[in-house]
Structures are given as C-alpha cells and as structure tokens.
Amino acid sequence: MSNTQQAIQIGDKTAEKALLERIDSGELIEDMADMTPRYRAVLERTLAIAAQGEVTVLTWAQTAFRTCPDLGAKIAVAGSIQDEVGHAHQQGMLWERFGFDMQKQTFEVDPNSYWSLPIMEFPISNYIEFVVAQAFLDRAGRYTTWDIEKHCSFAPYRRTLRKVNFEEAFHFRHGAMWTEYFMNFSEETKQMVNEAVKWIFPWGYHWYGRPDHLKGHPDQLTYGVRKWTNDTMRRKWLKSACLFAQRIGLEVPAHFDDETQEWVFDEPFPMLFDRDNKEWIREESDWDTFINEFKVGGPMRPAVYERLQREEWGNFLWQS
Amino acid sequence: MAILKQDVIDSMRDVMDPHMNVNLNDMGMIGGVTINADGDIEVGLVFPCIGCPAMDLIKDDAEKAVRKIAGARNVTVKADWGKKWDRTMLSQEARDNAKSHGYII
C-alpha cells in the first residue's frame, strides 16, 4: 500500500493527501509551513524520544566512569558522554523549532516522565559491560538514527543526524575493539565478556519493540519519517551483531539458518527482564506485558533523572 | 621494492577521524614517517585534541592499514606530541566535507 493510499485510510483530507503525494514522490519537506498537524505531531514525538533518549545515555554512561581501568578508558567514556549530550543538543535544537523548550524538557519535567530504554537505567558493574554494550547497543541505536538520516522526508532532520551517525559508528567500533581485546586478554576477562553478552545481547534484539505484524502501519512510516520497519532494523542489527561476534569468536544466542539465509535469535521473544537480578527470565512473554515492564524501567529511575536535574554528579568524577 | 613514505600515507587513505569523518591525511594528522631497509615502519600521528577519546581506535586502525603494505614488517603507530596540530593543516576536501555536516572551519 502506498502512502497516498494509506492517507485515504487516515482520512480524506486534502492537505494530508497533498502532503503524502509529495512525500511519496520523493520530495523532501524543508519548510515547516508545509506540514500538516499530523505530520508535525509524528515528528514532534520522534524528536521528543530521540532528544530525551540521548540524554539518558549520559546518565547511564556516567555509571561506567568509576569502573574505568585507566585514564584512556575514562577519556573514552567522557568522550561518549560528550557526544551523546551533543546528539541530544542537536536534536533538541531541531525540536525547539517545533515550539518546545529543551531546557524545560530536560530540567523542569517530572523525572518519571523521561523517555528511555530500561537498559539505560541499570548501572554498569564493570568496564567490560560498558564496551560490550557499546559494541551491541550503540550498533542497535545507530540503525534507528541511520534510517532517519537516509530516508526521513523532513530534510533538516536528515542533516541533523549526519554527524550524530558517524559518532555513533565510532561508539560501536570503540566497543567492538575493546570487546575483542578483552576476549583475548585472559580467561577471566573472556568470561566477563560472556557474562555481559548474556544480558546485553537480548536487549539489542528487543531494542526495536513490537514485531511488524503487531505494530500496524505507524505514522512514522506513512509520512516517511523512517523507512525501515521494526523487523527490518532488527534483522539488520542481528546480522551485523552476529557477524561481529563470529569474527572475534564470541558466542551469542543466535544462529544462521541455511534454509532462510537469515540469522535467527535463539531465545524466547519477547521475554521479560528481572530488574532485581539483572537477568532475563528465559520464557516467552507477550508484548503488552513487555511494554508495561518497559515503562516501569530500571532501578535507577527516577533517581538518576532527579540527579541530572540537580546537576549533581558526585565527587568520584574528580578522583583518580 | 623499498617502501616509500607515500605508500604509508596512501595506506591510511581510508583511516578516518571518527568525529570528523575525514581521513587522517586530509585531517593533517600524519606526522613523521620513518621506514628502514628491513620494512620496519614507525608513524607519528599528530592529534588535534590532547584528550581524544578515539585515540586508541585511530592508532589501531592506522596500524592495521600500514601493516597491509607489501614488505611491511614491524609497524608502530604512536601519538607525536612533538608537533602541534592546527586547523590550517586541514585540506580543502576536509573543509568541504566538514561543512556538509555542519562545521565551518
């Protein structure tokens, strides 16, 4: 079904149809005056999630800082935090063109209203967890921002993400380089990589949410804000993550199916994450339950956002 | 056949500074290159930022690239703090590239 046909289902409004015909023909929207309320709303929602989501990488990565084994690692974590704040700022500036105040949305909203992925609300226990998370989860995040850069019908959003995306590539490559290093450093560090993979890898697979057949046709796709569906991104991520794991001899819960020529996730999907024990409950759940748990978030919510709003980081940042 | 300095520079054509998405040569980051008759190569990289978070990654990428040169034996890539980087060392291509993603340099 084309987007124009989809518009007829949305409602037979002339402005909606005209806009969708322009988007369908490949035209990029530059001027906000050309937006319909519905198109504007889907961009506002996308930017809200993106800008707040980037901020919550900061509060998560900050927990890795005290686990850094040396100064180089501290610089790398600080660099990642700086990049993510930059990404929040860049998308926040675009969000402000829609009439939102990024300062208020960051420092004055209810801390419980922050949008984040629950995994960003579990503190990092050791530096190996941080680099494994970079290798797999920054890779996952990049497919979402890469899709928008390549395909978004709103041209300013494409441009906003150019620099964001090559920095995200740096983060997952940094994680990959150090994951490989720790895989080969000693038996102990190899074991720690395997332990980290057990709980981090499934988060990558769950990253994109409901499968397409349960998702319907969201406005993000109708209006060309993104082109890749949840399943498309999940497939791309799984392939890339598995090829990386294969290259460094790391075992992950997935295999290549010769018949379908696709990588297949070997664990129940979806499954729930036990927030108290920081491990997956390895039995199949349902998506409504998964999303409800998702909204509850991790153990650092909301305290970590309250601290962010107080700009209170702790003395350990200044200790060697 | 002897390895030339230009071979070393060319080998790093695809090694990028990840925060600029510009290769090291266009960034002006390739400092001293020493090659001996045995194929031992030492490259000094001039970093724009003293606390570059990508330093290890860039050195690792550069080392892998230089190792691919036929005849290369021991390859060492290290930060060259004896030289100062400044923005005049950026090539025009790097400036154009940076401009396309929002930097005016």
Side-chain angles (χ1 to χ4, degrees):
Chain A
M1 187 188 292
S2 73
N3 286 336
T4 312
Q5 288 169 318
Q6 187 73 25
I8 294 164
Q9 289 193 342
I10 288 168
D12 195 10
K13 293 178 183 168
T14 310
E16 296 290 350
K17 281 178 68 179
L19 177 65
L20 283 164
E21 276 171 1
R22 289 173 64 188
I23 292 170
D24 246 6
S25 69
E27 188 180 337
L28 293 178
I29 307 302
E30 284 281 357
D31 192 340
M32 292 188 62
D34 290 350
M35 291 181 180
T36 61
R38 192 158 178 163
Y39 181 55
R40 188 181 170 112
V42 68
L43 281 164
E44 283 175 4
R45 179 71 187 142
T46 306
L47 281 162
I49 289 173
Q52 284 201 326
E54 297 278 9
V55 170
T56 67
V57 182
L58 180 167
T59 46
W60 170 78
Q62 187 253 350
T63 68
F65 198 80
R66 71 173 80 204
T67 73
C68 291
D70 58 28
L71 182 60
K74 285 189 176 190
I75 289 172
V77 172
S80 290
I81 290 173
Q82 186 176 307
D83 288 348
E84 301 295 355
V85 174
H87 302 172
H89 186 227
Q90 281 164 306
Q91 292 177 87
M93 283 193 295
L94 189 57
W95 198 25
E96 288 193 329
R97 287 172 60 181
F98 288 77
F100 290 85
D101 182 335
M102 190 63 186
Q103 179 77 13
K104 272 190 182 163
Q105 296 295 332
T106 308
F107 291 101
E108 294 174 28
V109 292
D110 174 0
N112 243 323
S113 71
Y114 259 82
W115 189 95
S116 183
L117 290 152
I119 191 173
M120 298 298 154
E121 294 163 351
F122 287 86
I124 293 289
S125 307
N126 59 65
Y127 187 65
I128 288 178
E129 284 186 352
F130 177 73
V131 295
V132 169
Q134 275 196 316
F136 289 109
L137 303 183
D138 280 83
R139 187 183 304 264
R142 184 171 179 255
Y143 280 110
T144 56
T145 49
W146 199 15
D147 180 22
I148 294 175
E149 184 200 330
K150 282 166 75 84
H151 305 121
C152 186
S153 52
F154 183 48
Y157 203 177
R158 286 190 182 205
R159 291 192 290 270
T160 295
L161 290 178
R162 284 202 69 179
K163 186 172 185 299
V164 170
N165 278 331
F166 57 72
E167 286 179 354
E168 291 295 1
F170 158 55
H171 296 167
F172 82 70
R173 288 202 56 231
H174 178 269
M177 182 181 93
W178 287 105
T179 299
E180 183 175 10
Y181 173 85
F182 287 120
M183 273 291 285
N184 296 306
F185 183 75
S186 71
E187 271 308 308
E188 188 189 357
T189 57
K190 182 178 180 178
Q191 184 57 29
M192 288 170 77
V193 171
N194 286 322
E195 288 300 318
V197 164
K198 270 187 204 165
W199 72 275
I200 289 169
F201 187 88
W203 273 115
Y205 197 72
H206 285 73
W207 187 275
Y208 306 101
R210 291 181 197 270
D212 293 351
H213 70 281
L214 297 175
K215 181 85 177 168
H217 193 88
D219 278 1
Q220 279 187 331
L221 296 176
T222 303
Y223 286 94
V225 172
R226 54 174 65 253
K227 183 178 178 185
W228 292 338
T229 67
N230 289 2
D231 286 351
T232 303
M233 287 189 285
R234 192 166 7 247
R235 207 162 41 242
K236 285 176 182 291
W237 173 82
L238 186 62
K239 180 180 177 184
S240 168
C242 288
L243 289 174
F244 158 65
Q246 198 174 47
R247 182 171 62 76
I248 66 166
L250 174 63
E251 281 190 26
V252 293
H255 71 277
F256 186 72
D257 186 302
D258 289 327
E259 206 167 295
T260 60
Q261 293 290 296
E262 297 274 4
W263 289 89
V264 179
F265 183 59
D266 289 336
E267 304 218 69
F269 180 65
M271 53 183 176
L272 303 180
F273 194 70
D274 178 348
R275 51 186 273 148
D276 296 325
N277 295 308
K278 204 172 159 183
E279 64 184 10
W280 291 92
I281 301 164
R282 289 183 154 81
E283 56 191 57
E284 190 166 334
S285 182
D286 63 84
W287 280 99
D288 287 343
T289 311
F290 178 85
I291 298 295
N292 285 337
E293 289 276 305
F294 189 100
K295 286 175 182 166
V296 172
M300 295 200 297
R301 169 182 287 265
V304 74
Y305 307 127
E306 291 166 356
R307 283 182 61 199
L308 170 77
Q309 291 181 334
R310 292 196 303 271
E311 298 188 70
E312 171 200 327
W313 294 105
N315 288 333
F316 75 86
L317 284 181
W318 317 112
Q319 292 160 358
S320 59
Chain B
M1 196 165 63
I3 299 168
L4 305 175
K5 180 178 177 183
Q6 192 59 43
D7 297 331
V8 176
I9 292 169
D10 289 346
S11 75
M12 288 190 276
R13 189 64 64 186
D14 294 326
V15 179
M16 312 298 266
D17 177 328
H19 282 91
M20 293 289 287
N21 210 30
V22 169
N23 72 56
L24 300 189
N25 193 33
D26 286 332
M27 281 294 295
M29 286 172 61
I30 302 176
V33 176
T34 312
I35 308 157
N36 72 17
D38 295 328
D40 298 331
I41 303 170
E42 188 174 298
V43 180
L45 295 181
V46 184
F47 282 88
C49 163
I50 197 166
C52 174
M55 195 177 293
D56 288 327
L57 187 83
I58 292 171
K59 284 194 289 189
D60 193 57
D61 284 351
E63 203 169 297
K64 282 178 184 154
V66 176
R67 273 209 204 103
K68 287 181 186 164
I69 299 171
R73 210 177 61 154
N74 297 312
V75 175
T76 310
V77 176
K78 58 184 187 182
D80 184 351
W81 297 119
K83 291 193 174 71
K84 184 184 165 194
W85 185 92
D86 71 65
R87 59 188 180 170
T88 61
M89 293 154 85
L90 282 165
S91 72
Q92 189 56 46
E93 194 183 342
R95 287 166 198 279
D96 293 344
N97 190 344
K99 192 176 174 184
S100 75
H101 42 76
Y103 284 119
I104 306 294
I105 301 171

